[in-house]
Amino acid sequence: MARAGRPPGKDLGPLSAAVAAAVRTLREEAGLTRLEMAQRLGIRTVRLTSMEQHETIISVSRLGDMALALGISPSRILVEAERILEGQPEP
């Protein structure tokens, strides 16, 4: 059975996984719990968990909302995702 938000048999891909990991990393670096982040986004914690665990695709619009909630630019999330993809240590 397909998970919510994921089309049956559809691989979300490495970039999508790296974005999900970047959001989680940056949220943790900001000292926010999932509950606090979810409240800032106006969504349920289970939905945020699903996005951070790469079970649901993070849309471009949601990426912008997440950046705003974290007080950073959307490009900062993408830079972190690229770092994750390349396996680079944090600066």
Side-chain angles (χ1 to χ4, degrees):
M1 177 180 283
R3 293 181 180 182
R6 181 183 297 187
K10 181 83 172 178
D11 179 14
L12 298 181
L15 178 58
S16 182
V19 168
V23 166
R24 181 180 58 249
T25 297
L26 293 167
R27 175 186 57 77
E28 290 171 349
E29 285 178 5
L32 294 175
T33 65
R34 280 192 176 134
L35 176 60
E36 291 166 330
M37 180 75 163
Q39 288 173 337
R40 288 182 181 197
L41 294 169
I43 62 174
R44 293 177 44 202
T45 305
V46 68
R47 178 81 170 145
L48 177 60
T49 300
S50 177
M51 287 185 262
E52 286 188 349
Q53 292 180 350
H54 194 229
E55 296 170 350
T56 304
I57 294 171
I58 299 173
S59 70
V60 172
S61 177
R62 180 65 72 194
L63 185 77
D65 294 342
M66 291 175 155
L68 186 62
L70 291 167
I72 60 176
S73 69
S75 64
R76 175 67 183 94
I77 296 172
L78 297 176
V79 166
E80 179 66 14
E82 184 176 24
R83 187 195 62 74
I84 290 168
L85 278 174
E86 294 175 355
Q88 297 176 359
E90 290 188 50

